[in-house]
């Protein structure tokens, strides 16, 4: 059994309602199936606990290219360090997703995927709280600090 299989998860697998291709509108750059698949990868990543080492290149691309106005944060590691290091970071990622504006025509944007993610998260408001997330805590509350997180209690 892998270490990842032994980690605490945020939600049981399949808790967040998955996208179907029929829920998505194809764009010039992505089919409805691709949008659904990538949206479902994000949902599974959330359920599994938003662990930085499970943040794949594909998830990174989906997030910074298509979802909730995210920026690249230089690279995948920078994005993961910003959003997935501590329970506070993870809760902030969910709050950002939940509160972001899903604008634009889904034939040109991923607003349909964003709206589905927000709807799925709305059923689990506790995910916006750090206590919902496993992981290490920073030793103090300095928001600009990049100190080494300490194991959680």
């Amino acid at each position: 059994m892998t270490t990842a299989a032994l980690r605490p998860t945020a939600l049981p697998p399949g808790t967040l309602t998955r996208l179907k291709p029929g829920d998505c509108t194809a764009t010039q750059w992505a089919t409805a199936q691709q949008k659904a698949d990538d949206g479902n990868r994000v949902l599974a990543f959330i359920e599994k606990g938003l662990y930085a080492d499970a943040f794949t290149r594909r998830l990174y691309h989906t997030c910074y290219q298509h979802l909730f106005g995210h920026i690249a944060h230089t690279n995948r590691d920078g994005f993961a360090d910003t959003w997935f290091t501590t329970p506070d970071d993870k809760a902030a990622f969910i709050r950002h997703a939940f509160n972001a504006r899903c604008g634009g025509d889904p034939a040109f944007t991923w607003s349909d995927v964003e709206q589905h993610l927000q709807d799925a998260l709305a059923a689990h408001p506790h995910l916006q709280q750090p206590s919902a997330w496993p992981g290490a805590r920073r030793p103090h509350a300095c928001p600009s600090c990049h100190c080494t997180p300490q194991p959680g209690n």
Side-chain angles (χ1 to χ4, degrees), residues 23-63:
D23 299 328
C24 301
T25 302
T27 70
Q28 178 180 353
W29 307 275
T31 66
Q33 183 69 57
Q34 289 168 322
K35 288 171 81 172
D37 289 347
D38 286 348
N40 289 336
R41 283 184 190 90
V42 172
L43 291 167
F45 178 63
I46 292 168
E47 288 172 346
K48 291 176 184 174
L50 297 174
Y51 289 99
D53 63 350
F55 188 58
T56 64
R57 177 172 256 149
R58 180 112 186 210
L59 282 166
Y60 171 61
H61 182 266
T62 299
C63 287

Side-chain angles (χ1 to χ4, degrees), residues 25-144:
T25 302
T27 70
Q28 178 180 353
W29 307 275
T31 66
Q33 183 69 57
Q34 289 168 322
K35 288 171 81 172
D37 289 347
D38 286 348
N40 289 336
R41 283 184 190 90
V42 172
L43 291 167
F45 178 63
I46 292 168
E47 288 172 346
K48 291 176 184 174
L50 297 174
Y51 289 99
D53 63 350
F55 188 58
T56 64
R57 177 172 256 149
R58 180 112 186 210
L59 282 166
Y60 171 61
H61 182 266
T62 299
C63 287
Y64 90 83
Q65 285 284 321
H66 305 297
L67 299 178
F68 307 119
H70 281 295
I71 60 171
H73 294 281
T74 307
N75 58 30
R76 185 177 59 84
D77 292 332
F79 193 102
D81 184 53
T82 299
W83 293 110
F84 310 128
T85 302
T86 69
D88 291 320
D89 299 338
K90 294 172 184 185
F93 177 80
I94 297 298
R95 283 192 304 274
H96 177 81
F98 192 73
N99 294 311
R101 184 178 164 275
C102 303
D105 182 335
F108 298 96
T109 70
W110 284 47
S111 60
D112 48 354
V113 176
E114 292 172 322
Q115 187 61 59
H116 181 90
L117 294 173
Q118 286 183 336
D119 292 346
L121 292 171
H124 303 279
H126 70 284
L127 296 178
Q128 296 181 52
Q129 303 303 317
S131 60
W133 298 101
R137 309 242 180 242
R138 296 204 189 275
H140 50 83
C142 176
S144 62

